[in-house]
Amino acid sequence: MKTPSLSRFLIRGAAIAGLVAAVAACTQEAPRIVFPETDLAAVPMIPKPLDVAPSGTAFGLDRFTAIYSTEALEGVAGFLSEKIQSKTGLRIPVNAEGETEVHRGIYLSTSEMDNPEAYHLRIGPDSVTISAGSAQGAFLAIQTLRQAIPETSNDTLAEYPIWPVPGGEIRDVPQFGYRGAMLDVARHFFSVEDVKKYLDVMAYYKLNVLHLHLTDDQGWRIEIKSWPKLTEVGGSTEVGGGPGGFYTQEDYAEIVRYAAERHITIVPEVDMPGHTNAASVAYPILNGNGKTPELYTGTHVGFSTWDTRKDTVYAFIDDVVREISALTPGPYFHIGGDESHVTRKDDYIYFIERVEPIVQKYGKRVIGWDEVAHADLDSSTVAQFWADEENATRAVGKGMKVLLSPARKAYLDMQYDTLSEYGLHWAAYIPVDTAYIWDPSTYSAGIAPKDILGIEAPLWSETISTIEELEYLAFPRLLGYSELGWTPAAKRSWDEYKLRLAAQTPYFKRMDIRYYPSALVPWEVPDLPEPQNPD
Ligand code: ACM
């Protein structure tokens, strides 16, 4: 049967029960299909949801399904429709008007919840309802639904393909609000397209922050209009002497836009006062290490510093922070602060304490690597614990929050083992199980759960220069970090997780992700049909 033009009523924010009832009234003549038993709890979801109650029934996703959303969630609804099409070939309309034949609906709405990322997903026989604390929560729910859609259709239930989505209810909320990844685009440059692919996968696994390490000794990768040589000169090479590259402000804005569409916050990092050789080559007036700076394509650290006692340096930083902040809607600006080995300690502290208010002036909250805790900082500033537990504990003593990225557990650039093709091992070898088997909440006795902003998995690029090499190090370990940020320890187990991880191969294949096939994981090698288009 044809639906009447319900959408005008539906879009304008009617209560979800009203939405379902209204469409149900028009769908009672839909053919009754008897599905085999399903088990929502057996779907290999990552990160594992907090609470899953299977019903044994199924929702038949097919060409007669439509998505209905409130106006505020139309972006999320459109994203779902697009992803259903790329997985199944089905073209599912959003807030369909007029002549569309609809048997079953997927309904999206928001409601008052304690956490904006919380959501409730109910997969019933005739409808799917998503109720979330915000558009962000609805977007997270959409990822759960995407993961629940089977890889292949059942073509025996009707004369057209149906994807039986296992039924039940999921109530879910993340353990930490900051679930991040970092990409070093300074040692080797990665294109906007590469970053977008990373963002696609991050979104699917519910990571919500991408920290871009935009500057280092080897390269400056973001255009600053008031200081053009930063990229003209400082962006001209990379580790190994390759051509380098940089993001124009338009490129960066495009990354920010693409991330926002996926409810991912971009955190820009300008690493200072060390790791600044590329900027000092472009503008030697900044330099403070007493030598004539030259472009650097090696991988040693700790030899560069800006002149922390020169006002020009702070005028320069003001321009850089202002221009980048204007392009960055997220709340954070990362000032680096690590491995400033040739900056005297009192100069370092003076520098960090002068830069913090510059960042705050442009409305951003400071993040710095754990060394910044030596300075007298505002309690709103975040210390990113990568190396020194004492620094992290010192930050907690100042009322600051800590972002957990301990190198020996969470650095994606550490080799899996002695045979790994790419990566380093100065902190540890990190096999896929070691990356997963630790608990951010109890990692350090001096850092209580209430002190933890979240976790982030950095990927430094000394040894990788292509997206394939990036994927070898990031996947599959990044998925484990996503689960550590989302799912409480009591619900995690490596033996169970590794089976869910093994079942991600159809997604990896669809996304053309060249993951590292660790022997610790019983991989399921997919044999997928091409997506069908029933029209
Ligand atoms: C770092 O790995 N130098 C933060």
Side-chain angles (χ1 to χ4, degrees):
M1 68 174 287
K2 308 285 181 199
T3 54
S5 180
L6 285 168
S7 59
R8 208 161 299 285
F9 161 68
L10 295 170
I11 297 168
R12 302 308 155 210
I16 201 81
L19 298 189
V20 178
V23 174
C26 310
T27 58
Q28 52 197 272
E29 291 169 31
R32 185 130 299 284
I33 297 164
V34 179
F35 291 100
E37 280 263 309
T38 64
D39 185 359
L40 185 61
V43 173
M45 292 176 186
I46 295 178
K48 186 179 184 147
L50 200 59
D51 183 30
V52 180
S55 63
T57 62
F59 175 84
L61 177 68
D62 62 22
R63 61 193 295 185
F64 303 112
T65 306
I67 302 170
Y68 298 97
S69 82
T70 54
E71 202 167 354
L73 298 184
E74 275 184 353
V76 176
F79 187 90
L80 175 62
S81 174
E82 198 183 291
K83 295 305 169 192
I84 289 176
Q85 183 170 359
S86 59
K87 184 166 185 175
T88 65
L90 291 169
R91 293 207 182 92
I92 304 294
V94 175
N95 294 329
E97 302 246 9
E99 294 302 292
T100 312
E101 184 172 347
V102 176
H103 297 166
R104 281 175 292 279
I106 300 172
Y107 304 91
L108 312 183
S109 69
T110 49
S111 62
E112 199 60 33
M113 294 197 185
D114 289 346
N115 184 325
E117 292 195 300
Y119 69 87
H120 178 197
L121 166 66
R122 184 184 159 281
I123 304 170
D126 299 313
S127 65
V128 172
T129 57
I130 286 170
S131 174
S134 67
Q136 167 109 359
F139 185 81
L140 296 166
I142 292 305
Q143 310 317 314
T144 305
L145 181 57
R146 287 174 69 193
Q147 294 191 11
I149 297 170
E151 290 300 329
T152 50
S153 57
N154 185 327
D155 298 346
T156 64
L157 297 169
E159 283 164 2
Y160 46 85
I162 301 182
W163 283 257
V165 184
E169 293 195 44
I170 294 181
R171 287 175 195 279
D172 205 6
V173 66
Q175 172 171 227
F176 296 115
Y178 186 122
R179 303 176 302 282
M182 187 213 81
L183 185 59
D184 171 11
V185 296
R187 271 24 177 280
H188 282 102
F189 183 63
F190 290 90
S191 69
V192 173
E193 287 314 304
D194 292 343
V195 174
K196 284 183 173 179
K197 185 174 180 190
Y198 209 45
L199 286 165
D200 282 334
V201 185
M202 286 177 61
Y204 187 70
Y205 293 110
K206 301 191 177 81
L207 292 159
N208 64 1
V209 181
L210 177 62
H211 161 189
L212 290 173
H213 182 77
L214 291 166
T215 69
D216 213 299
D217 290 320
Q218 299 86 347
W220 183 286
R221 308 297 179 202
I222 172 110
E223 176 189 24
I224 302 296
K225 293 196 193 278
S226 53
W227 297 78
K229 283 198 226 162
L230 286 171
T231 44
E232 284 167 20
V233 175
S236 64
T237 192
E238 60 190 349
V239 165
F246 64 91
Y247 306 126
T248 62
Q249 293 205 349
E250 291 70 28
D251 290 339
Y252 179 78
E254 173 59 13
I255 290 172
V256 166
R257 184 204 64 76
Y258 195 84
E261 205 171 68
R262 284 151 186 75
H263 294 265
I264 293 174
T265 298
I266 296 292
V267 175
E269 179 186 351
V270 173
D271 199 353
M272 51 190 159
H275 290 274
T276 46
N277 181 71
S280 292
V281 177
Y283 293 102
I285 193 171
L286 303 169
N287 189 36
N289 75 359
K291 299 184 183 146
T292 303
E294 290 173 15
L295 289 172
Y296 181 66
T297 59
T299 58
H300 289 137
V301 298
F303 63 88
S304 57
T305 185
W306 284 337
D307 185 339
T308 60
R309 301 287 170 168
K310 208 182 256 172
D311 279 345
T312 311
V313 167
Y314 299 100
F316 163 79
I317 291 169
D318 194 293
D319 286 337
V320 168
V321 174
R322 174 175 44 77
E323 289 198 32
I324 296 176
S325 295
L327 299 165
T328 307
Y332 302 107
F333 193 105
H334 201 304
I335 64 169
D338 58 322
E339 298 175 314
S340 254
H341 300 323
V342 296
T343 320
R344 285 183 20 198
K345 188 163 180 187
D346 58 336
D347 289 342
Y348 175 83
I349 289 171
Y350 174 81
F351 178 87
I352 297 296
E353 289 174 5
R354 273 198 73 168
V355 172
E356 184 190 59
I358 296 174
V359 170
Q360 291 171 336
K361 182 173 75 170
Y362 292 108
K364 302 299 179 197
R365 183 173 176 187
V366 174
I367 307 181
W369 297 106
D370 61 49
E371 291 96 320
V372 299
H374 287 286
D376 182 15
L377 294 170
D378 195 89
S379 62
S380 68
T381 291
V382 176
Q384 185 164 10
F385 173 16
W386 68 281
D388 190 329
E389 190 165 0
E390 235 176 79
N391 285 341
T393 309
R394 187 177 283 127
V396 169
K398 296 179 182 194
M400 297 161 63
K401 294 260 188 277
V402 173
L403 180 57
L404 282 169
S405 304
R408 60 199 176 86
K409 286 291 184 186
Y411 266 28
L412 284 166
D413 59 307
M414 292 298 112
Q415 289 172 293
Y416 292 94
D417 56 36
T418 56
L419 300 176
S420 287
E421 268 180 82
Y422 305 103
L424 303 168
H425 55 262
W426 59 263
Y429 291 104
I430 308 183
V432 180
D433 56 352
T434 302
Y436 181 83
I437 304 171
W438 63 287
D439 182 11
S441 296
T442 56
Y443 183 71
S444 164
I447 309 171
K450 70 169 175 42
D451 304 319
I452 300 172
L453 183 68
I455 91 163
E456 183 181 287
L459 178 49
W460 302 96
S461 62
E462 283 94 337
T463 67
I464 55 169
S465 60
T466 67
I467 183 79
E468 290 84 358
E469 294 162 3
L470 180 163
E471 288 169 4
Y472 173 96
L473 287 175
F475 304 112
R477 289 181 293 195
L478 185 64
L479 283 63
Y481 299 126
S482 149
E483 183 147 307
L484 290 178
W486 188 281
T487 312
K491 300 234 167 200
R492 294 196 308 262
S493 127
W494 163 254
D495 285 334
E496 184 269 335
Y497 169 73
K498 75 179 176 196
L499 303 178
R500 282 184 285 122
L501 184 56
Q504 301 307 308
T505 47
Y507 176 73
F508 290 170
K509 182 170 180 186
R510 217 167 40 249
M511 292 294 289
D512 192 24
I513 292 169
R514 274 60 55 93
Y515 64 99
Y516 169 70
S518 164
L520 299 170
V521 181
W523 298 105
E524 294 174 15
V525 179
D527 182 20
L528 288 181
E530 292 304 309
Q532 308 160 44
N533 185 346
D535 296 329

PDB file of all heavy atoms in Angstrom, residues 275 338-339 369 386 411 426 460, ligand 1:
ATOM      1  N   HIS A 275      60.514  20.400  19.183  1.00  0.00           N
ATOM      2  CA  HIS A 275      59.901  19.832  17.961  1.00  0.00           C
ATOM      3  C   HIS A 275      59.506  20.953  16.984  1.00  0.00           C
ATOM      4  O   HIS A 275      58.473  20.873  16.331  1.00  0.00           O
ATOM      5  CB  HIS A 275      58.659  18.986  18.317  1.00  0.00           C
ATOM      6  CG  HIS A 275      58.989  17.706  19.022  1.00  0.00           C
ATOM      7  ND1 HIS A 275      59.318  16.545  18.352  1.00  0.00           N
ATOM      8  CD2 HIS A 275      59.051  17.401  20.343  1.00  0.00           C
ATOM      9  CE1 HIS A 275      59.557  15.575  19.240  1.00  0.00           C
ATOM     10  NE2 HIS A 275      59.408  16.070  20.456  1.00  0.00           N
ATOM     11  N   ASP A 338      56.252  18.339  24.649  1.00  0.00           N
ATOM     12  CA  ASP A 338      57.047  17.147  24.968  1.00  0.00           C
ATOM     13  C   ASP A 338      58.503  17.311  24.528  1.00  0.00           C
ATOM     14  O   ASP A 338      58.812  18.078  23.617  1.00  0.00           O
ATOM     15  CB  ASP A 338      56.456  15.909  24.271  1.00  0.00           C
ATOM     16  CG  ASP A 338      56.380  16.085  22.757  1.00  0.00           C
ATOM     17  OD1 ASP A 338      56.067  17.207  22.309  1.00  0.00           O
ATOM     18  OD2 ASP A 338      56.643  15.117  22.029  1.00  0.00           O
ATOM     19  N   GLU A 339      59.363  16.580  25.191  1.00  0.00           N
ATOM     20  CA  GLU A 339      60.764  16.383  24.768  1.00  0.00           C
ATOM     21  C   GLU A 339      61.470  17.680  24.376  1.00  0.00           C
ATOM     22  O   GLU A 339      62.184  17.718  23.382  1.00  0.00           O
ATOM     23  CB  GLU A 339      60.806  15.395  23.589  1.00  0.00           C
ATOM     24  CG  GLU A 339      60.272  14.032  23.967  1.00  0.00           C
ATOM     25  CD  GLU A 339      60.185  13.086  22.775  1.00  0.00           C
ATOM     26  OE1 GLU A 339      59.693  13.497  21.701  1.00  0.00           O
ATOM     27  OE2 GLU A 339      60.589  11.936  22.919  1.00  0.00           O
ATOM     28  N   TRP A 369      51.309  17.480  26.303  1.00  0.00           N
ATOM     29  CA  TRP A 369      51.910  16.202  26.730  1.00  0.00           C
ATOM     30  C   TRP A 369      52.308  16.313  28.200  1.00  0.00           C
ATOM     31  O   TRP A 369      52.455  17.427  28.728  1.00  0.00           O
ATOM     32  CB  TRP A 369      53.105  15.866  25.835  1.00  0.00           C
ATOM     33  CG  TRP A 369      52.698  15.663  24.394  1.00  0.00           C
ATOM     34  CD1 TRP A 369      52.912  16.519  23.354  1.00  0.00           C
ATOM     35  CD2 TRP A 369      51.982  14.544  23.838  1.00  0.00           C
ATOM     36  NE1 TRP A 369      52.383  16.011  22.190  1.00  0.00           N
ATOM     37  CE2 TRP A 369      51.805  14.799  22.455  1.00  0.00           C
ATOM     38  CE3 TRP A 369      51.471  13.365  24.359  1.00  0.00           C
ATOM     39  CZ2 TRP A 369      51.142  13.914  21.594  1.00  0.00           C
ATOM     40  CZ3 TRP A 369      50.818  12.477  23.506  1.00  0.00           C
ATOM     41  CH2 TRP A 369      50.659  12.744  22.144  1.00  0.00           C
ATOM     42  N   TRP A 386      51.786  10.245  28.432  1.00  0.00           N
ATOM     43  CA  TRP A 386      52.373   9.346  27.435  1.00  0.00           C
ATOM     44  C   TRP A 386      53.578   8.618  27.987  1.00  0.00           C
ATOM     45  O   TRP A 386      53.842   7.488  27.627  1.00  0.00           O
ATOM     46  CB  TRP A 386      52.753  10.113  26.163  1.00  0.00           C
ATOM     47  CG  TRP A 386      53.900  11.081  26.319  1.00  0.00           C
ATOM     48  CD1 TRP A 386      53.860  12.330  26.873  1.00  0.00           C
ATOM     49  CD2 TRP A 386      55.259  10.861  25.916  1.00  0.00           C
ATOM     50  NE1 TRP A 386      55.100  12.909  26.841  1.00  0.00           N
ATOM     51  CE2 TRP A 386      55.987  12.029  26.241  1.00  0.00           C
ATOM     52  CE3 TRP A 386      55.931   9.809  25.291  1.00  0.00           C
ATOM     53  CZ2 TRP A 386      57.353  12.170  25.996  1.00  0.00           C
ATOM     54  CZ3 TRP A 386      57.292   9.950  25.029  1.00  0.00           C
ATOM     55  CH2 TRP A 386      57.989  11.119  25.387  1.00  0.00           C
ATOM     56  N   TYR A 411      50.465   3.219  22.236  1.00  0.00           N
ATOM     57  CA  TYR A 411      51.067   3.824  21.043  1.00  0.00           C
ATOM     58  C   TYR A 411      50.916   2.875  19.852  1.00  0.00           C
ATOM     59  O   TYR A 411      51.482   1.792  19.821  1.00  0.00           O
ATOM     60  CB  TYR A 411      52.549   4.145  21.293  1.00  0.00           C
ATOM     61  CG  TYR A 411      52.807   5.566  21.754  1.00  0.00           C
ATOM     62  CD1 TYR A 411      51.837   6.279  22.454  1.00  0.00           C
ATOM     63  CD2 TYR A 411      54.019   6.204  21.486  1.00  0.00           C
ATOM     64  CE1 TYR A 411      52.075   7.585  22.873  1.00  0.00           C
ATOM     65  CE2 TYR A 411      54.266   7.498  21.907  1.00  0.00           C
ATOM     66  CZ  TYR A 411      53.286   8.183  22.595  1.00  0.00           C
ATOM     67  OH  TYR A 411      53.524   9.471  23.005  1.00  0.00           O
ATOM     68  N   TRP A 426      60.754   1.449  21.054  1.00  0.00           N
ATOM     69  CA  TRP A 426      61.440   2.048  22.199  1.00  0.00           C
ATOM     70  C   TRP A 426      60.619   1.964  23.488  1.00  0.00           C
ATOM     71  O   TRP A 426      61.176   1.914  24.577  1.00  0.00           O
ATOM     72  CB  TRP A 426      61.845   3.500  21.900  1.00  0.00           C
ATOM     73  CG  TRP A 426      60.694   4.411  21.550  1.00  0.00           C
ATOM     74  CD1 TRP A 426      60.289   4.746  20.297  1.00  0.00           C
ATOM     75  CD2 TRP A 426      59.808   5.067  22.453  1.00  0.00           C
ATOM     76  NE1 TRP A 426      59.191   5.580  20.364  1.00  0.00           N
ATOM     77  CE2 TRP A 426      58.873   5.792  21.670  1.00  0.00           C
ATOM     78  CE3 TRP A 426      59.695   5.121  23.853  1.00  0.00           C
ATOM     79  CZ2 TRP A 426      57.849   6.547  22.240  1.00  0.00           C
ATOM     80  CZ3 TRP A 426      58.675   5.879  24.418  1.00  0.00           C
ATOM     81  CH2 TRP A 426      57.772   6.586  23.615  1.00  0.00           C
ATOM     82  N   TRP A 460      52.393   7.705  15.528  1.00  0.00           N
ATOM     83  CA  TRP A 460      53.509   8.525  15.046  1.00  0.00           C
ATOM     84  C   TRP A 460      54.006   7.936  13.738  1.00  0.00           C
ATOM     85  O   TRP A 460      53.956   6.723  13.536  1.00  0.00           O
ATOM     86  CB  TRP A 460      54.613   8.567  16.106  1.00  0.00           C
ATOM     87  CG  TRP A 460      54.131   9.101  17.416  1.00  0.00           C
ATOM     88  CD1 TRP A 460      53.708   8.380  18.508  1.00  0.00           C
ATOM     89  CD2 TRP A 460      53.974  10.473  17.780  1.00  0.00           C
ATOM     90  NE1 TRP A 460      53.324   9.225  19.524  1.00  0.00           N
ATOM     91  CE2 TRP A 460      53.482  10.508  19.104  1.00  0.00           C
ATOM     92  CE3 TRP A 460      54.229  11.686  17.124  1.00  0.00           C
ATOM     93  CZ2 TRP A 460      53.217  11.701  19.774  1.00  0.00           C
ATOM     94  CZ3 TRP A 460      53.974  12.872  17.791  1.00  0.00           C
ATOM     95  CH2 TRP A 460      53.477  12.876  19.100  1.00  0.00           C
TER      96      TRP A 460
HETATM   97  C1  ACM B   1      55.769  11.828  22.386  1.00  0.00           C
HETATM   98  O1  ACM B   1      55.676  10.633  22.063  1.00  0.00           O
HETATM   99  N1  ACM B   1      56.913  12.477  22.208  1.00  0.00           N
HETATM  100  C2  ACM B   1      54.666  12.555  22.976  1.00  0.00           C
END
